[in-house]
Amino acid sequence: QLVESGGGSVQAGGSLRLSCEANGYKVGVHCMGWVRQASGKEREGVGLIDSDGRTSYIDSVKGRFTISKDNDKNTLYLQMNSLKPEDTAMYYCAARLEIGPPCTAITLDDWGQGTQVTVS
């Protein structure tokens, strides 16, 4: 139901924008986010956006990544700037099935298939 796109390979310092078609959800009311998993590492939450549009990020991406949403298109975005090799990972769009608070990384319980981001 969550379909990511926009991944690819980019040089360090470059930018990418990931998109997520949130089929089965309404980005305007659901807690949404992005998580990533690098090879051989555990999945980690990158950032969240709640129904009011408030965002939060992990420290390692603050100031570089921006989560946004388009309620009319029912699409979630992750704008990634100043990419670093350590950002290389599979990136997943995620959502909380239940509407309402709390909107935290551990409450995300549905994920898409992912899109690969490689930074060299």
Side-chain angles (χ1 to χ4, degrees), residues 8-28:
S9 296
V10 64
Q11 291 187 337
S15 298
L16 283 173
R17 188 176 83 152
L18 307 184
S19 299
C20 171
E21 296 179 16
N23 304 310
Y25 294 91
K26 291 184 179 181
V27 298

PDB file of all heavy atoms in Angstrom, residues 8-28:
ATOM      1  N   GLY A   8      18.225   6.040  -5.815  1.00  0.00           N
ATOM      2  CA  GLY A   8      19.221   5.947  -6.860  1.00  0.00           C
ATOM      3  C   GLY A   8      20.614   6.121  -6.305  1.00  0.00           C
ATOM      4  O   GLY A   8      20.818   6.066  -5.080  1.00  0.00           O
ATOM      5  N   SER A   9      21.550   6.322  -7.188  1.00  0.00           N
ATOM      6  CA  SER A   9      22.942   6.508  -6.802  1.00  0.00           C
ATOM      7  C   SER A   9      23.332   7.966  -7.007  1.00  0.00           C
ATOM      8  O   SER A   9      22.996   8.561  -8.026  1.00  0.00           O
ATOM      9  CB  SER A   9      23.849   5.609  -7.642  1.00  0.00           C
ATOM     10  OG  SER A   9      23.572   4.250  -7.399  1.00  0.00           O
ATOM     11  N   VAL A  10      24.049   8.492  -6.050  1.00  0.00           N
ATOM     12  CA  VAL A  10      24.436   9.900  -6.105  1.00  0.00           C
ATOM     13  C   VAL A  10      25.793  10.065  -5.444  1.00  0.00           C
ATOM     14  O   VAL A  10      26.169   9.271  -4.565  1.00  0.00           O
ATOM     15  CB  VAL A  10      23.360  10.777  -5.419  1.00  0.00           C
ATOM     16  CG1 VAL A  10      23.251  10.445  -3.943  1.00  0.00           C
ATOM     17  CG2 VAL A  10      23.600  12.251  -5.651  1.00  0.00           C
ATOM     18  N   GLN A  11      26.517  11.065  -5.862  1.00  0.00           N
ATOM     19  CA  GLN A  11      27.800  11.354  -5.234  1.00  0.00           C
ATOM     20  C   GLN A  11      27.587  12.108  -3.925  1.00  0.00           C
ATOM     21  O   GLN A  11      26.575  12.791  -3.741  1.00  0.00           O
ATOM     22  CB  GLN A  11      28.681  12.172  -6.176  1.00  0.00           C
ATOM     23  CG  GLN A  11      29.155  11.391  -7.384  1.00  0.00           C
ATOM     24  CD  GLN A  11      30.168  12.168  -8.214  1.00  0.00           C
ATOM     25  OE1 GLN A  11      30.223  13.387  -8.157  1.00  0.00           O
ATOM     26  NE2 GLN A  11      30.990  11.442  -8.960  1.00  0.00           N
ATOM     27  N   ALA A  12      28.548  11.973  -3.044  1.00  0.00           N
ATOM     28  CA  ALA A  12      28.498  12.685  -1.774  1.00  0.00           C
ATOM     29  C   ALA A  12      28.307  14.175  -2.018  1.00  0.00           C
ATOM     30  O   ALA A  12      28.916  14.752  -2.919  1.00  0.00           O
ATOM     31  CB  ALA A  12      29.771  12.439  -0.978  1.00  0.00           C
ATOM     32  N   GLY A  13      27.425  14.759  -1.228  1.00  0.00           N
ATOM     33  CA  GLY A  13      27.106  16.171  -1.398  1.00  0.00           C
ATOM     34  C   GLY A  13      25.884  16.411  -2.270  1.00  0.00           C
ATOM     35  O   GLY A  13      25.378  17.543  -2.324  1.00  0.00           O
ATOM     36  N   GLY A  14      25.439  15.365  -2.941  1.00  0.00           N
ATOM     37  CA  GLY A  14      24.304  15.494  -3.830  1.00  0.00           C
ATOM     38  C   GLY A  14      22.969  15.417  -3.109  1.00  0.00           C
ATOM     39  O   GLY A  14      22.914  15.327  -1.872  1.00  0.00           O
ATOM     40  N   SER A  15      21.902  15.431  -3.898  1.00  0.00           N
ATOM     41  CA  SER A  15      20.549  15.432  -3.351  1.00  0.00           C
ATOM     42  C   SER A  15      19.679  14.403  -4.059  1.00  0.00           C
ATOM     43  O   SER A  15      19.915  14.063  -5.230  1.00  0.00           O
ATOM     44  CB  SER A  15      19.907  16.813  -3.535  1.00  0.00           C
ATOM     45  OG  SER A  15      20.624  17.818  -2.845  1.00  0.00           O
ATOM     46  N   LEU A  16      18.694  13.936  -3.328  1.00  0.00           N
ATOM     47  CA  LEU A  16      17.660  13.069  -3.877  1.00  0.00           C
ATOM     48  C   LEU A  16      16.342  13.409  -3.187  1.00  0.00           C
ATOM     49  O   LEU A  16      16.347  13.845  -2.032  1.00  0.00           O
ATOM     50  CB  LEU A  16      17.968  11.589  -3.633  1.00  0.00           C
ATOM     51  CG  LEU A  16      19.009  10.889  -4.497  1.00  0.00           C
ATOM     52  CD1 LEU A  16      19.274   9.484  -3.975  1.00  0.00           C
ATOM     53  CD2 LEU A  16      18.565  10.837  -5.954  1.00  0.00           C
ATOM     54  N   ARG A  17      15.246  13.182  -3.884  1.00  0.00           N
ATOM     55  CA  ARG A  17      13.938  13.317  -3.252  1.00  0.00           C
ATOM     56  C   ARG A  17      13.177  12.008  -3.416  1.00  0.00           C
ATOM     57  O   ARG A  17      12.942  11.570  -4.534  1.00  0.00           O
ATOM     58  CB  ARG A  17      13.135  14.469  -3.842  1.00  0.00           C
ATOM     59  CG  ARG A  17      11.843  14.722  -3.045  1.00  0.00           C
ATOM     60  CD  ARG A  17      11.069  15.917  -3.526  1.00  0.00           C
ATOM     61  NE  ARG A  17      10.226  15.625  -4.655  1.00  0.00           N
ATOM     62  CZ  ARG A  17       9.094  16.278  -4.952  1.00  0.00           C
ATOM     63  NH1 ARG A  17       8.704  17.275  -4.162  1.00  0.00           N
ATOM     64  NH2 ARG A  17       8.389  15.965  -6.008  1.00  0.00           N
ATOM     65  N   LEU A  18      12.818  11.439  -2.308  1.00  0.00           N
ATOM     66  CA  LEU A  18      12.023  10.229  -2.309  1.00  0.00           C
ATOM     67  C   LEU A  18      10.548  10.587  -2.194  1.00  0.00           C
ATOM     68  O   LEU A  18      10.186  11.559  -1.531  1.00  0.00           O
ATOM     69  CB  LEU A  18      12.422   9.323  -1.138  1.00  0.00           C
ATOM     70  CG  LEU A  18      13.897   8.972  -1.009  1.00  0.00           C
ATOM     71  CD1 LEU A  18      14.100   7.981   0.141  1.00  0.00           C
ATOM     72  CD2 LEU A  18      14.457   8.412  -2.305  1.00  0.00           C
ATOM     73  N   SER A  19       9.727   9.781  -2.846  1.00  0.00           N
ATOM     74  CA  SER A  19       8.282   9.965  -2.775  1.00  0.00           C
ATOM     75  C   SER A  19       7.637   8.683  -2.278  1.00  0.00           C
ATOM     76  O   SER A  19       8.182   7.589  -2.475  1.00  0.00           O
ATOM     77  CB  SER A  19       7.724  10.326  -4.151  1.00  0.00           C
ATOM     78  OG  SER A  19       8.277  11.532  -4.638  1.00  0.00           O
ATOM     79  N   CYS A  20       6.482   8.829  -1.671  1.00  0.00           N
ATOM     80  CA  CYS A  20       5.741   7.669  -1.177  1.00  0.00           C
ATOM     81  C   CYS A  20       4.268   7.862  -1.464  1.00  0.00           C
ATOM     82  O   CYS A  20       3.642   8.796  -0.922  1.00  0.00           O
ATOM     83  CB  CYS A  20       5.971   7.493   0.312  1.00  0.00           C
ATOM     84  SG  CYS A  20       4.905   6.245   1.101  1.00  0.00           S
ATOM     85  N   GLU A  21       3.720   7.019  -2.320  1.00  0.00           N
ATOM     86  CA  GLU A  21       2.279   7.006  -2.555  1.00  0.00           C
ATOM     87  C   GLU A  21       1.634   6.247  -1.404  1.00  0.00           C
ATOM     88  O   GLU A  21       1.892   5.058  -1.213  1.00  0.00           O
ATOM     89  CB  GLU A  21       1.965   6.346  -3.883  1.00  0.00           C
ATOM     90  CG  GLU A  21       2.505   7.071  -5.091  1.00  0.00           C
ATOM     91  CD  GLU A  21       2.162   6.335  -6.388  1.00  0.00           C
ATOM     92  OE1 GLU A  21       1.274   5.471  -6.367  1.00  0.00           O
ATOM     93  OE2 GLU A  21       2.791   6.624  -7.410  1.00  0.00           O
ATOM     94  N   ALA A  22       0.819   6.962  -0.649  1.00  0.00           N
ATOM     95  CA  ALA A  22       0.276   6.371   0.578  1.00  0.00           C
ATOM     96  C   ALA A  22      -1.097   5.757   0.332  1.00  0.00           C
ATOM     97  O   ALA A  22      -2.091   6.171   0.934  1.00  0.00           O
ATOM     98  CB  ALA A  22       0.212   7.432   1.671  1.00  0.00           C
ATOM     99  N   ASN A  23      -1.138   4.756  -0.518  1.00  0.00           N
ATOM    100  CA  ASN A  23      -2.400   4.072  -0.799  1.00  0.00           C
ATOM    101  C   ASN A  23      -2.909   3.381   0.465  1.00  0.00           C
ATOM    102  O   ASN A  23      -2.177   2.705   1.167  1.00  0.00           O
ATOM    103  CB  ASN A  23      -2.179   3.045  -1.909  1.00  0.00           C
ATOM    104  CG  ASN A  23      -1.612   3.650  -3.170  1.00  0.00           C
ATOM    105  OD1 ASN A  23      -2.111   4.643  -3.669  1.00  0.00           O
ATOM    106  ND2 ASN A  23      -0.533   3.066  -3.670  1.00  0.00           N
ATOM    107  N   GLY A  24      -4.170   3.581   0.755  1.00  0.00           N
ATOM    108  CA  GLY A  24      -4.748   2.979   1.953  1.00  0.00           C
ATOM    109  C   GLY A  24      -4.607   3.841   3.193  1.00  0.00           C
ATOM    110  O   GLY A  24      -5.107   3.468   4.260  1.00  0.00           O
ATOM    111  N   TYR A  25      -3.928   4.963   3.051  1.00  0.00           N
ATOM    112  CA  TYR A  25      -3.763   5.900   4.152  1.00  0.00           C
ATOM    113  C   TYR A  25      -4.124   7.304   3.687  1.00  0.00           C
ATOM    114  O   TYR A  25      -4.255   7.546   2.493  1.00  0.00           O
ATOM    115  CB  TYR A  25      -2.299   5.916   4.639  1.00  0.00           C
ATOM    116  CG  TYR A  25      -1.856   4.637   5.268  1.00  0.00           C
ATOM    117  CD1 TYR A  25      -1.264   3.648   4.495  1.00  0.00           C
ATOM    118  CD2 TYR A  25      -2.030   4.408   6.615  1.00  0.00           C
ATOM    119  CE1 TYR A  25      -0.865   2.450   5.056  1.00  0.00           C
ATOM    120  CE2 TYR A  25      -1.622   3.221   7.197  1.00  0.00           C
ATOM    121  CZ  TYR A  25      -1.043   2.248   6.405  1.00  0.00           C
ATOM    122  OH  TYR A  25      -0.649   1.068   6.976  1.00  0.00           O
ATOM    123  N   LYS A  26      -4.273   8.194   4.614  1.00  0.00           N
ATOM    124  CA  LYS A  26      -4.435   9.606   4.309  1.00  0.00           C
ATOM    125  C   LYS A  26      -3.300  10.340   5.016  1.00  0.00           C
ATOM    126  O   LYS A  26      -3.259  10.388   6.250  1.00  0.00           O
ATOM    127  CB  LYS A  26      -5.791  10.127   4.797  1.00  0.00           C
ATOM    128  CG  LYS A  26      -6.971   9.561   4.023  1.00  0.00           C
ATOM    129  CD  LYS A  26      -8.284  10.174   4.481  1.00  0.00           C
ATOM    130  CE  LYS A  26      -9.450   9.616   3.674  1.00  0.00           C
ATOM    131  NZ  LYS A  26     -10.738  10.217   4.101  1.00  0.00           N
ATOM    132  N   VAL A  27      -2.373  10.892   4.217  1.00  0.00           N
ATOM    133  CA  VAL A  27      -1.213  11.534   4.828  1.00  0.00           C
ATOM    134  C   VAL A  27      -1.619  12.713   5.693  1.00  0.00           C
ATOM    135  O   VAL A  27      -0.874  13.135   6.574  1.00  0.00           O
ATOM    136  CB  VAL A  27      -0.190  11.975   3.753  1.00  0.00           C
ATOM    137  CG1 VAL A  27       0.339  10.773   2.987  1.00  0.00           C
ATOM    138  CG2 VAL A  27      -0.769  13.018   2.817  1.00  0.00           C
ATOM    139  N   GLY A  28      -2.825  13.230   5.445  1.00  0.00           N
ATOM    140  CA  GLY A  28      -3.291  14.362   6.232  1.00  0.00           C
ATOM    141  C   GLY A  28      -3.722  14.005   7.634  1.00  0.00           C
ATOM    142  O   GLY A  28      -3.817  14.877   8.499  1.00  0.00           O
TER     143      GLY A  28
END
